[in-house]
Amino acid sequence: MDTFGNYFSQSARLKVLVAIVAFLVSIPVSAAFCSLRDPVIAIQSLYPEATQHRSIIRPINQKMRGEVAKRLPFTIHHNEIGKHTLYQVLKGAASIGFVQARSELSEWGLIEIAWAISSDMKIESLAFQRCRSPECNDTLKNEIEAVIQGKSFAELLLLVSTDGQSLSEQAKEVFLTNPAMHLLILSSALKTLAITELAWGDVISAQSQ
């Protein structure tokens, strides 16, 4: 009886665990982590001079997903692009930039990055919202920013291979360590700009005039 009872208990627990995992896997990553955890802190980190911000939420439809996928050299999962939030950052009444958050899956779990984007849709800076990897520190952040700051989507493409699966020879000359982490962050920047240009290009252009 004890053996049967123990077996049943273990079997029941296993089934519950499998059900929970299946449920979590079915949740779109982008749906849960496509916005800033704490907008005020993240925006102040990226734009210390900011006085206020506003959120612009747009759902990404199937057509737009296809357009984003065509622009990127690597394959993206369907659930990576869902409802996204773009934050317009203001200093008084003037627009000084935009912020978008991205989540990337790594061997350390989800890495959430807040990206600062200029009015001409170039990367300005980044901030880690969440990262359990010991590599996510100011040294890595500063190293990445020194290379990608002020770069457009087309310029960032030159830093990855044609299939997007590795760093380009140009990038390898600069990023001598942590190639996997550098590639992940570069890929995140490319996704961010591709989505921003296609989903909010009209909004950004209008605010820049």
Side-chain angles (χ1 to χ4, degrees):
M1 178 66 69
D2 289 343
T3 301
F4 178 77
N6 289 337
Y7 173 79
F8 178 79
S9 177
Q10 292 174 0
S11 177
R13 286 198 297 269
L14 179 60
K15 288 180 179 178
V16 171
L17 179 60
V18 170
I20 291 173
V21 171
F23 172 74
L24 291 176
V25 169
S26 68
I27 299 175
V29 170
S30 59
F33 302 108
C34 65
S35 59
L36 296 176
R37 287 175 175 267
D38 191 325
V40 174
I41 291 178
I43 289 171
Q44 284 294 325
S45 172
L46 295 166
Y47 293 98
E49 70 275 29
T51 57
Q52 58 183 319
H53 69 274
R54 69 186 186 99
S55 304
I56 310 169
I57 302 174
R58 282 191 173 176
I60 310 299
N61 58 33
Q62 188 60 38
K63 179 181 178 181
M64 197 171 294
R65 286 193 190 95
E67 291 174 349
V68 170
K70 288 178 183 177
R71 296 198 66 189
L72 297 170
F74 44 80
T75 302
I76 57 173
H77 191 276
H78 177 82
N79 287 340
E80 282 194 66
I81 308 177
K83 184 185 291 184
H84 282 63
T85 303
L86 182 73
Y87 300 86
Q88 183 183 12
V89 185
L90 305 168
K91 181 180 180 181
S95 178
I96 59 175
F98 301 85
V99 175
Q100 188 191 142
R102 282 287 315 163
S103 289
E104 307 297 341
L105 189 60
S106 75
E107 61 178 317
W108 293 90
L110 283 177
I111 296 179
E112 297 170 32
I113 306 172
W115 290 100
I117 306 162
S118 66
S119 57
D120 55 354
M121 283 178 274
K122 295 180 179 180
I123 293 294
E124 290 195 309
S125 58
L126 67 108
F128 293 111
Q129 285 197 101
R130 162 183 169 157
C131 183
R132 294 178 179 175
S133 169
E135 297 177 357
C136 292
N137 51 40
D138 287 341
T139 299
L140 175 66
K141 175 182 178 296
N142 294 337
E143 186 179 52
I144 288 283
E145 284 185 342
V147 176
I148 69 174
Q149 196 168 50
K151 282 188 168 52
S152 65
F153 180 87
E155 291 170 323
L156 288 176
L157 274 179
L158 299 177
L159 298 175
V160 300
S161 60
T162 53
D163 61 0
Q165 299 304 307
S166 62
L167 297 175
S168 68
E169 292 304 315
Q170 176 184 337
K172 288 177 182 178
E173 293 178 0
V174 181
F175 301 130
L176 302 178
T177 60
N178 304 325
M181 183 62 77
H182 286 113
L183 179 62
L184 181 146
I185 296 174
L186 287 173
S187 298
S188 180
L190 285 166
K191 294 175 193 174
T192 298
L193 287 185
I195 293 169
T196 301
E197 290 178 7
L198 289 168
W200 293 284
D202 57 334
V203 174
I204 293 176
S205 296
Q207 294 298 327
S208 302
Q209 294 176 357

